[in-house]
Amino acid sequence: AAHHRFRALDCEAVKHYVAARPALQQRVGPADSVESWTVKEVGDGNINFVFILEGPGGALCVKQALPYVRCVGESWPLTQDRVRIESEVLAEEAAVCPQHVPAVYLYDSDMSLIAMRYLAPPFLILRRGLIAGAMYPRLAEHLAAFLASTLFHTSLIKLDATAFRAKIAKYTNDEMCRLTEQVIFTEPYVKADNNKWTSPQLDADVAELQSDVAAKLAISQLKDLFISRPQALLHGDLHTGSMMVTDAETVVIDPEFAFYGPMAFDVGKILANLLLAFFAADGHEAASGQSRQAQRDWLLGCIRDTWNGFSASFRALWTEHAGAGDLYPAAFAGAAAPGGTELLAAAQAAFMDHLFHETAQFMGAFVIRRLVGIAHVADMDSIADADVRAACERRALRFGRSLLVHGARGPLHSIEALTEAAAAARD
Amino acid sequence: AAHHRFRALDCEAVKHYVAARPALQQRVGPADSVESWTVKEVGDGNINFVFILEGPGGALCVKQALPYVRCVGESWPLTQDRVRIESEVLAEEAAVCPQHVPAVYLYDSDMSLIAMRYLAPPFLILRRGLIAGAMYPRLAEHLAAFLASTLFHTSLIKLDATAFRAKIAKYTNDEMCRLTEQVIFTEPYVKADNNKWTSPQLDADVAELQSDVAAKLAISQLKDLFISRPQALLHGDLHTGSMMVTDAETVVIDPEFAFYGPMAFDVGKILANLLLAFFAADGHEAASGQSRQAQRDWLLGCIRDTWNGFSASFRALWTEHAGAGDLYPAAFAGAAAPGGTELLAAAQAAFMDHLFHETAQFMGAFVIRRLVGIAHVADMDSIADADVRAACERRALRFGRSLLVHGARGPLHSIEALTEAAAAARD
Ligand SMILES: Nc1ncnc2c1ncn2[C@@H]1O[C@H](COP(=O)(O)OP(=O)(O)O)[C@@H](O)[C@H]1O
Ligand SMILES: Nc1ncnc2c1ncn2[C@@H]1O[C@H](COP(=O)(O)OP(=O)(O)O)[C@@H](O)[C@H]1O
Ligand SMILES: [Mg+2]
Ligand SMILES: [Mg+2]
Ligand SMILES: [Mg+2]
Ligand SMILES: [Mg+2]
Ligand SMILES: [Mg+2]
C-alpha cells in the first residue's frame, strides 16, 4: 500500500496535526491555546524527525519517519514500515516492562508517525550524560531488567513454537537489517567509501584489521547469527543514544531496528557502548584536567552489574515460568517433571555460558564498527585533540578485536575477567 | 481460503480427474483408452494418498493430501498447505539437482494434489531394498550431491539476505514442524501415550533414557536449532522411506515437511536411517541365516562416503560461487578480495567442523526416536523375534545416546571414527 495519505510534517504542520486530534490535543493544552504552543524539531538521530510540542496543558513527542534516511536524504530510501515495527515493539516491551519504555498515545500508519510521552528534562540521552561525566546509580539494574524481560518473554523458553514463528514473521524487518549487515558486519572489515577513522593516526591499525583473517571469520559468524538465529525479539539498536535517563529512571526509545535475532546482539550492543564510554573517559580527562577515575570505575561496574543482573533476572524468569514454552516444555521442566529441577539448572548454566561467549564477541563487533565504520560515537568524536582521541580509540580497537575473535573462550572468560582486562588495557 | 473446491479422490475419481486434463491424460493414454486404465492406491506412508495410473500411453503418479493425517483419521487434522510446500520445494530442488527429484506435471492447490512422474519398478523405496539386503553402489554419491546442492543453493552463502529472508517466510511450515517437534524432540524423552518400544525387553533402557538429564539437555538444544536456526531449505523428512532407488538412480520424494532449518537436520536424518539399517542387519542375518556382512560393510562405507562426498561437494560449490551470497560477500571472499582465499579456507573448515558435530547429534536424535517414539522403522519392526530385535535396538539406542549427548566432541570425532565405533558396537 503506497503512502498516498502521507505527508512530511514540519513544526507548523505538526501543531495542526495534533490540534485536530482531541485525544492528543488535550495533552498539550485546550483548543483555544493552540496558537501559544511551541514546537521544536529535536531529532539528533540520523534517521527520523522528532518534534516536541509544549503548551499550557503539558507536552508531547511526535516522531515521524520519512521514506529515506534523514542524514543522507532521498538518495538513500528506507522503508516507512519501520514505524509499524517501532510502535508494535514499544507495545511488546510495555507489556513486560512498562517502566522502561515511553507510553505511546497514537500510531498513524498513513503518516508514519508515533505520538508518545515527552521525556522532559532532566531526562537526557544517556550518551550525553556519560560524555558530561555523569554516573547513574540505578542504570545497571534498569538495563538488566529491560534486557531480561524483553528477551525472555519473546523467546521459545516462554512462547509456544506457533506463537514464536508468528512473531518472527511479524517482525521481519528486511531493510533495517540490511543496514545493520552493511555497516556493522561488512564495511569495517573491507575498504568501503563509508568508512572513516582518525587518520593518519589509526591508518596502520585499520589496515591491520582489514587484513585480519581471524577477525573476518569471526564477524562473518556473527553476521550468520544476526541473520539466521531468531532467538528473541531484539530492540536492534540498543546503544547509549537509544535511552533517556535520570538518576532514578531509564527509558529505552527507538526500536525501529527490532527483529527476531540472537539475544547476544542486544546485550552486547549496550555493553559495548558502555565500554566505548570507558575508553573515551581518558580523553575527556585529558581535555578537562578533571579526574574521570570514579566514572571509569562506575562504568566498568555498570558493565559487570548489567551482565550479572541480566543473567540472574533471566534465570529467575525462566525458573518462574518453568515449563511455559516449547523449548523446555512442562513434561521436561515443569514443577512435576521427573528430574526437571536438575534439567533446568543444567539448561540455564549451558545457556548463560554460551550467551556470554556470544555477547563478548558481539561487544567486539560493536566497538570496532564505532571506530572504523560509518557511524562513530560522540563519546570519542567529542575528544578534540586527534592524538589523544586516537590513543583512546586504539586501546578500544585492540580490546574490541580480542573480544570479537576470542569471545569468552580466552582470557576474557567471565564478566569480571573482561572488566578487569579493560581496566588493565589503559596502562 | 477454505478448500471449498476440494474433494477427496478415490481410484475411480482420480481416473476422471486425469482424463479431464489433456496434458495429464496424454501421459497415460489416448482419450478413448480411459476405460482400460488401471489405478491403484499405493500410499504406504502415514500421511497422504498416492495413486498410480497406468494405461497404454504410460503411467502417472498422483499424490493427494487430505485435511488430516491418513493413518490416524479426522481426529488428527493437518494443514493441506503441505502440498504447496511440497510442490514448491520439488521445484527448488529440481532447479539444482533435477536428476534426484521426480518431475512435477501439475500442482492443483484447490484439490491439494500433485501429479508427478511415476517411478516404475525397478525403482523401489530405499528402505525396502535395504531390508531385503540390497546394496546401491552409487547411493552415497547421489545423496552427497542432493544434500550439497539443495543445502548450498538455499543458504546465505549463496543468497543475498533479502532473498534468504523471503524464502524463510515462504517456507514457514508451522503445523508440520510442530509434528516433528512433538514426535522427535519431545515425546521419546518423557512418558507419552504415543511412545512404543519392544517391551518388556527395552523397558529398563527406556526408563534410563527418560531420566537422562544429559540426553534431555542435548535434545532440547537440538530442538532449539530446529526451530530457530534457519540455515537452508531442508527436505525435512529425509529418511530411507523418502527416496526411490535403482542401481543407477536415486530420486528423493515427499518434501512436505520442508522448512528453513539447520542443515545438520537433513544430513543427520539420512545418515541415522542408514545407521538403523546397519544395526538391523544382524536381526535379518539371524532370521535368514544368510550373512549380511557385505551389506553392513557397504552401509558403513555409504555413511562415510555420503558425509565425505557431501562435505567435498558443498565446499566445491562454495569455492565456485565465492562471493555470491551475503554471508561471505565478494569484498570478503570474492576472487579479488585481499586474503579471500585464506578466509574461504578458514571459513569452510570451521563450518564443516561445526556441521559435523551437529550432524552427529541429530543422528543420535533420529536413531532414538525410531526406537522409542511413535514412528518406528520397518528395518527393525520386520525382525520377527522380539529378543533378537531388542538386542539390535539396544545397540542402536546406546550408540544413538552417545551421538546425541557428545556429538563429535568425544570419541566419535570424525566420520571414520563414528563408523568404526558403529562396527565395534556390534561386538
Ligand atoms: N519520547 C521522547 N522524549 C524526549 N525526547 C525524545 C523522545 N524521543 C526522541 N527524543 C529525542 O529525539 C532524538 C531522536 O530520537 P530517536 O527515536 O532516537 O530517533 P532516530 O530514529 O532518528 O534515531 C533522541 O535522541 C532524543 O533526543
Ligand atoms: N512418484 C512416485 N512414483 C512411484 N511411487 C511413488 C511415487 N511417490 C510416492 N510413491 C509411493 O507412495 C508411497 C507414499 O508416498 P509419499 O510421498 O512418501 O507419501 P507420504 O507423504 O504419505 O509419506 C511411497 O512410499 C511410494 O511407495
Ligand atoms: Mg535514535
Ligand atoms: Mg532510530
Ligand atoms: Mg513418505
Ligand atoms: Mg549481494
Ligand atoms: Mg510425507
Side-chain angles (χ1 to χ4, degrees), chain B residues 353 356-358 360-361 402-403 405-414 418:
Chain B
D353 177 73
F356 182 69
H357 175 60
E358 291 182 351
Q361 290 199 285
S402 173
L403 280 166
V405 171
H406 303 297
R409 304 280 179 260
L412 311 180
H413 50 79
S414 67
L418 190 160

Side-chain angles (χ1 to χ4, degrees), chain B residues 35-48:
Chain B
E35 288 311 308
S36 74
W37 296 0
T38 63
V39 185
K40 51 183 194 269
E41 202 282 314
V42 301
D44 62 350
N46 296 320
I47 302 190
N48 302 294

